[in-house]
Amino acid sequence: MEFKVNLSRPDISEAEIQAVTDVLRTPNLSLGPKLGEFEDAFCAYSGMKRAIAVNSGTSGLYLCMKAMGIGEGDEVITTPFTFIASVTTIMMTGAKPVFVDIDPVSLNMDPAKIEEKITERTKAILPVVVFGNPVGLDEVCRIADKHNLFVVEDSCEGLGSELGGKKIGTFGTMSTFAFYPNKQITTGEGGIILTNDDELADLCQSLRNQGRGKGGGWLAHDRLGYNYRLSDINCALGIVQLSRIDEFVEKRRKVANMYHEVLSDEARLIVPEEPENCVMSWFVYVVRLADKSLTIDTRNAVLKRMLERGIQVSNYFPPVYLQPFISEALGHKEGDFPITDEVCKSTMALPFHNNLTREEVETVATELKATLDEIL
């Protein structure tokens, strides 16, 4: 179906196209100079000591936990309101995800509920910067320090966000960003790990490259590893994209502000706002139905009608703990995390990207209000 307004779209200029073309004219399509340039650019941007580029945010999260030695019998505390990779990467190590319900305002894991979930098997906490909102990340790290736990910071949705003047990606023991085309910057597919720990960084470099060690030959493998490399083609695209991150953050803020102008007076919706003491790098723009008595069927009817009107929308997220294979493995049932359940039944992601125009924002708002008139 051709939509009047699309849900997301990357922001690619001639500079990115030229950078990729330049790589294609060299013999170095992978493990070439652009990989190091991209990693160095991230270190310069973040202030972190080491950066390890990988082929996805999912790979990044998994390698962080593997490098930390997380595995069978361990527990990792995380949120039930997230993209599935935050949870499946824990399960891939053999560890058990332990969920903490969310704060109803920030939609991030509620720090006040974390300590009651810590056991002798807890090895790490994996907070997620949901929708680019960093609220609570500092408190999570304080709790982790108190209990001598690792923090694997899932910042895949928040490149460019800051909390108290500090960039996200710099709070945890290790952190991961992702660069799928709907993210703040894109490499097509890709991700990156940040850390100040040389030992963990060296392990991740080895693990992403089929277990090869420093100084060894192409057929010398020190450990079980994976092919999680990011090509120089992707890295060249990422170098230019990262150089534009401040521009992108500002563009996305302007789009969020336009939505706020046209929707903040709509009593039937809960409209997101930028928190205090934060720079929020907006990932998506998610509104919620305000009436808590409405069912998920009502929300789904609104989404369906919006799609029929030519506006690409989506639910964001369903409760990850109720994905069938996860609930079966962990024994969870609906109602175990009531705030997550309540939020998930009402969320609606509206079209959102850097270059969304005022006319398109107003079209989305008009169609949404008309749809609410029909259904509510």
Side-chain angles (χ1 to χ4, degrees):
M1 176 180 179
E2 186 174 341
F3 292 102
K4 290 189 289 187
V5 189
N6 291 98
L7 188 61
S8 66
R9 181 169 291 177
D11 188 340
I12 304 295
S13 72
E14 287 302 317
E16 283 92 339
I17 294 169
Q18 186 62 54
V20 169
T21 302
D22 288 346
V23 171
L24 294 174
R25 292 193 173 98
T26 77
N28 301 307
L29 300 189
S30 188
L31 293 177
K34 293 300 176 183
L35 172 63
E37 287 181 37
F38 187 43
E39 292 172 338
D40 288 346
F42 250 93
C43 289
Y45 170 75
S46 66
M48 296 292 280
K49 186 177 180 182
R50 300 288 296 276
I52 304 94
V54 289
N55 61 0
S56 71
T58 303
S59 298
L61 290 171
Y62 178 63
L63 290 190
C64 286
M65 287 181 277
K66 289 294 289 184
M68 290 172 175
I70 293 170
E72 201 76 38
D74 294 328
E75 294 177 350
V76 179
I77 293 172
T78 193
T79 171
F81 185 70
T82 184
F83 182 64
I84 197 167
S86 309
V87 178
T88 53
T89 50
I90 298 170
M91 299 173 73
M92 286 160 58
T93 69
K96 177 185 177 182
V98 174
F99 296 112
V100 168
D101 210 352
I102 61 174
D103 176 87
V105 178
S106 72
L107 307 186
N108 291 330
M109 181 167 48
D110 187 345
K113 298 176 181 176
I114 291 175
E115 288 190 282
E116 64 191 48
K117 296 295 183 78
I118 294 174
T119 72
E120 61 183 13
R121 294 180 297 279
T122 306
K123 192 76 171 281
I125 306 176
L126 195 156
V128 180
V129 182
V130 172
F131 305 157
N133 187 339
V135 167
L137 195 52
D138 51 351
E139 183 63 13
V140 170
C141 291
R142 187 195 66 76
I143 293 167
D145 286 344
K146 177 181 174 182
H147 293 274
N148 197 30
L149 302 172
F150 291 119
V151 174
V152 181
E153 184 186 327
D154 182 344
S155 296
C156 291
E157 297 181 0
L159 181 63
S161 291
E162 298 179 9
L163 177 61
K166 184 177 180 180
K167 288 184 172 70
I168 66 161
T170 67
F171 284 82
T173 317
M174 307 183 81
S175 64
T176 299
F177 292 98
F179 311 128
Y180 189 70
N182 65 344
K183 298 297 195 299
Q184 287 86 344
I185 73 167
T186 186
T187 57
E189 294 278 3
I192 205 159
I193 298 164
L194 300 181
T195 186
N196 285 325
D197 188 307
D198 284 324
E199 183 178 352
L200 293 175
D202 288 344
L203 269 171
C204 285
Q205 282 188 329
S206 175
L207 290 169
R208 76 163 174 198
N209 193 22
Q210 293 166 320
R212 295 180 176 92
K214 282 186 174 181
W218 186 250
L219 299 179
H221 306 270
D222 293 351
R223 58 184 56 83
L224 176 67
Y226 316 89
N227 182 356
Y228 288 169
R229 298 186 298 265
L230 189 65
S231 79
D232 274 44
I233 300 167
N234 300 97
C235 289
L237 175 57
I239 291 165
V240 181
Q241 286 270 290
L242 183 60
S243 74
R244 301 175 64 197
I245 183 61
D246 291 340
E247 169 197 346
F248 290 170
V249 170
E250 186 56 32
K251 280 183 170 183
R252 297 171 90 87
R253 178 179 289 111
K254 286 180 179 178
V255 175
N257 287 342
M258 285 191 290
Y259 267 126
H260 192 74
E261 289 173 17
V262 297
L263 292 176
S264 60
D265 63 346
E266 175 52 74
R268 295 170 292 186
L269 296 175
I270 298 171
V271 176
E273 297 186 33
E274 187 162 13
E276 294 181 5
N277 198 35
C278 292
V279 173
M280 183 159 165
S281 180
W282 293 82
F283 166 52
V284 287
Y285 194 87
V286 175
V287 298
R288 290 183 277 156
L289 295 174
D291 187 347
K292 294 181 179 181
S293 69
L294 296 174
T295 67
I296 194 170
D297 292 335
T298 304
R299 189 279 311 276
N300 290 346
V302 174
L303 294 178
K304 181 174 183 292
R305 188 70 187 99
M306 288 289 284
L307 293 169
E308 291 168 350
R309 289 174 177 270
I311 309 298
Q312 192 175 24
V313 293
S314 179
N315 61 322
Y316 231 101
F317 300 100
V320 72
Y321 79 96
L322 293 179
Q323 296 285 350
F325 74 95
I326 294 176
S327 61
E328 181 178 343
L330 301 178
H332 287 304
K333 63 185 184 305
E334 188 172 355
D336 285 353
F337 305 98
I339 299 175
T340 295
D341 291 346
E342 183 180 287
V343 168
C344 287
K345 74 177 185 180
S346 65
T347 53
M348 298 183 292
L350 305 182
F352 189 78
H353 56 80
N354 292 7
N355 297 313
L356 204 67
T357 65
R358 179 168 290 275
E359 181 181 3
E360 288 173 320
V361 168
E362 290 175 350
T363 297
V364 173
T366 298
E367 298 290 2
L368 179 55
K369 290 177 180 181
T371 299
L372 296 177
D373 288 340
E374 291 178 6
I375 293 175
L376 299 188

